[in-house]
Amino acid sequence: MKILVVGSGGREHALAWALSRSEGVVEVGVAPGNGGTRWEASEGRCRCFCELREPLEAAGDYDLVVVGPEAPLVEGLADKIQGVPVFGPSARAARIEASKLYAKDLMNRYGVPTARHKVLVKGRTEDLEAFGTPVVIKDDGLAAGKGVGVFEDLEPACEFFAELCRSTDRILLEEFLPGPELSVLCFCDGENFALMPPARDYKRRFENDEGPNTGGMGAISPVVDIEDDLLERVGEEVIKPVLKGLADDGAPFVGVLYAGLKLTPDGPKVLEFNCRFGDPETQVILPQFEGNLAQLMLSCAQRSLNEEHIRWGNKSWTTVVLASEGYPGAYQKGFKIRGLDSCSGLVFQAGTALKGDDVVTNGGRVLAVVGCGEDLAEAGANAYEIVSQIQFQGACHRKDIGGAMLSRSVP
Ligand code: AMP
Ligand code: GLY
């Protein structure tokens, strides 16, 4: 089987790596890929990673197309590719991520637990005042992580609202939900689903969940501090009704449905849905997959999810993101990365480029360093050991990925 992966992040490097390990896969192409996927190709580690033409043009040469990021899905790439199975939802189904108001409406219609919300009318600050604090303000559409603000006080909330009003008139308020977060992802074929091991993403830039939101500074999986029946509950109370709702709306969901949850005292509640794999959750979920990922994704794309291809390992995984100094604000690029060849573990590249034989920094989140262990403490310690073996100018990372047990002694 020849597979085309669309995208250029750490998630897509991980997808290409995992797919190339599936039996029967003879080629994985990545469009456009990044320094990491090109480096893999040049090292001969994966079967084939090539710089490709536009995905739409290239798709015909492949047996399966796997779309990584949300933007091309929301723009209808899966609808436009004809004659080749696509693992990824139609634009209509991708609305579950593209419009938070659509997602809320769907959840309310199908009784899925989520935060109470209110649609804000442009300029009507009095509605915001009446809602009270703490409050969460959200841009309805895709905003690359910048469209959500969580506020204790009214004044900064009003400023954020005024700022959002400049670019959109679709804004919603949400009640603040307390509790730890959990990412639950599942493979879907339009009707049926299979849950993946739960993951936790560390979204804030600094230790103890302080500082600005980022694309994700690290992740762990499987998450163990959850009740035994929680995953089953999420399947029954969240995933099942949402898949039914999407199908009833004429938009059956094929691909990865990602539920971002808060584990509140009243049970799990949905913060958001994504229509694709999470980044960096993918970097700790896919290394656990020991079945045939290519066949599984093909079965989903062909509307007949085949669970026989699923097998999960029993190790724990932690990823620590190495970012450029200044991220998520402005940062410099082009610094040589040292230690990739000789480090003792798995490293997925995100914001990198190849310059001659060198891998150089080319983005905010540069690398996702992945550690494995018998438990999360060992996985975290191993991840930080690999981190200490890699250097580039201005490299920054959080030192508490994996929880309090790691915050004592990491470099
Ligand atoms: P979202 O893009 O909707 O997942 O929001 C980004 C982040 O904002 C989430 O990961 C949460 O940390 C936080 N957040 C969003 N909505 C809420 C909410 N209703 N209550 C508490 N925190 C929230
Ligand atoms: N890690 C969060 C996301 O992929 O949206």
Side-chain angles (χ1 to χ4, degrees):
M1 192 184 342
K2 289 170 69 178
I3 304 175
L4 176 64
V5 174
V6 178
S8 61
R11 166 184 50 212
E12 286 74 30
H13 187 182
L15 273 165
W17 169 84
L19 284 164
S20 70
R21 288 160 28 123
S22 293
E23 207 183 313
V25 171
V26 294
E27 182 181 319
V28 179
V30 191
N34 61 21
T37 52
R38 270 165 222 141
W39 184 66
E40 297 277 2
S42 68
E43 297 284 305
R45 243 188 285 281
C46 290
R47 300 225 169 91
C48 178
F49 291 94
C50 23
E51 212 162 337
L52 283 163
R53 313 184 292 281
E54 281 288 300
L56 202 52
E57 219 182 291
D61 298 339
Y62 289 85
D63 304 303
L64 173 68
V65 180
V66 176
V67 186
E70 64 278 14
L73 292 165
V74 170
E75 286 160 15
L77 182 61
D79 309 82
K80 289 180 202 147
I81 294 173
Q82 298 289 320
V84 182
V86 180
F87 183 84
S90 65
R92 222 175 134 72
R95 277 193 304 166
I96 191 88
E97 174 167 0
S99 169
K100 290 182 162 50
L101 287 170
Y102 173 69
K104 282 283 180 196
D105 174 60
L106 185 77
M107 284 190 276
N108 289 338
R109 279 188 283 136
Y110 285 81
V112 175
T114 183
R116 181 172 58 88
H117 82 287
K118 181 173 173 55
V119 179
L120 265 190
V121 177
K122 212 167 183 163
R124 277 188 60 100
T125 314
E126 55 268 40
D127 290 347
L128 174 54
E129 286 166 6
F131 198 84
T133 54
V135 66
V136 184
I137 305 178
K138 296 187 177 182
D139 183 337
D140 172 59
L142 297 181
K146 297 197 171 71
V148 176
V150 181
F151 302 98
E152 300 270 348
D153 300 313
L154 200 56
E155 201 180 311
C158 289
E159 282 167 21
F160 185 78
F161 176 44
E163 190 58 40
L164 272 190
C165 286
R166 283 180 219 268
S167 55
T168 176
D169 53 6
R170 290 173 67 89
I171 301 171
L172 60 154
L173 292 181
E174 258 183 37
E175 78 179 294
F176 176 83
L177 295 176
E181 289 183 33
L182 191 72
S183 307
V184 176
L185 285 68
C186 56
F187 296 99
C188 306
D189 70 357
E191 190 184 345
N192 307 294
F193 66 94
L195 295 168
M196 304 184 205
R200 179 164 294 143
D201 175 17
Y202 290 70
K203 284 206 175 77
R204 299 293 190 111
R205 169 64 188 86
F206 298 115
E207 284 77 10
N208 301 315
D209 289 334
E210 286 173 9
N213 256 324
T214 69
M217 294 301 296
I220 56 171
S221 182
V223 175
V224 285
D225 61 353
I226 55 175
E227 287 162 24
D228 289 345
D229 65 344
L230 184 91
L231 264 194
E232 203 177 315
R233 267 188 83 179
V234 172
E236 286 299 313
E237 294 173 18
V238 175
I239 305 294
K240 211 184 227 178
V242 162
L243 287 182
K244 170 146 189 357
L246 284 163
D248 290 349
D249 282 357
F253 190 98
V254 172
V256 169
L257 182 63
Y258 164 142
L261 305 167
K262 272 266 180 160
L263 306 181
T264 77
D266 302 327
K269 294 192 180 179
V270 176
L271 289 180
E272 61 158 353
F273 285 107
N274 293 320
C275 65
R276 35 103 192 145
F277 274 104
D279 190 342
E281 289 94 330
T282 307
Q283 289 88 318
V284 283
I285 292 175
L286 288 185
Q288 298 176 64
F289 192 86
E290 294 177 358
N292 191 314
L293 187 64
Q295 289 296 341
L296 173 63
M297 288 180 159
L298 181 65
S299 76
C300 290
Q302 292 174 332
R303 300 294 192 87
S304 168
L305 192 159
N306 185 345
E307 299 214 11
E308 281 174 16
H309 299 304
I310 302 177
R311 205 169 64 248
W312 298 103
N314 54 12
K315 298 262 197 292
S316 292
W317 298 80
T318 295
T319 186
V320 178
V321 169
L322 291 189
S324 297
E325 188 174 4
Y327 175 78
Y331 53 81
Q332 290 184 304
K333 300 179 187 176
F335 299 118
K336 181 174 170 164
I337 305 172
R338 293 188 167 78
L340 288 171
D341 275 322
S342 52
C343 72
S344 57
L346 199 53
V347 179
F348 294 120
Q349 299 185 26
T352 66
L354 266 193
K355 198 167 153 194
D357 288 340
D358 292 338
V359 180
V360 299
T361 66
N362 193 42
R365 289 192 295 171
V366 177
L367 304 171
V369 171
V370 184
C372 172
E374 293 304 320
D375 56 23
L376 284 171
E378 192 178 278
N382 285 335
Y384 282 104
E385 170 59 30
I386 305 164
V387 166
S388 73
Q389 297 164 5
I390 295 174
Q391 297 88 32
F392 58 87
Q393 191 177 320
C396 305
H397 65 274
R398 266 181 70 160
K399 297 183 176 62
D400 64 345
I401 307 300
M405 72 274 198
L406 296 172
S407 58
R408 307 170 257 117
S409 60
V410 295

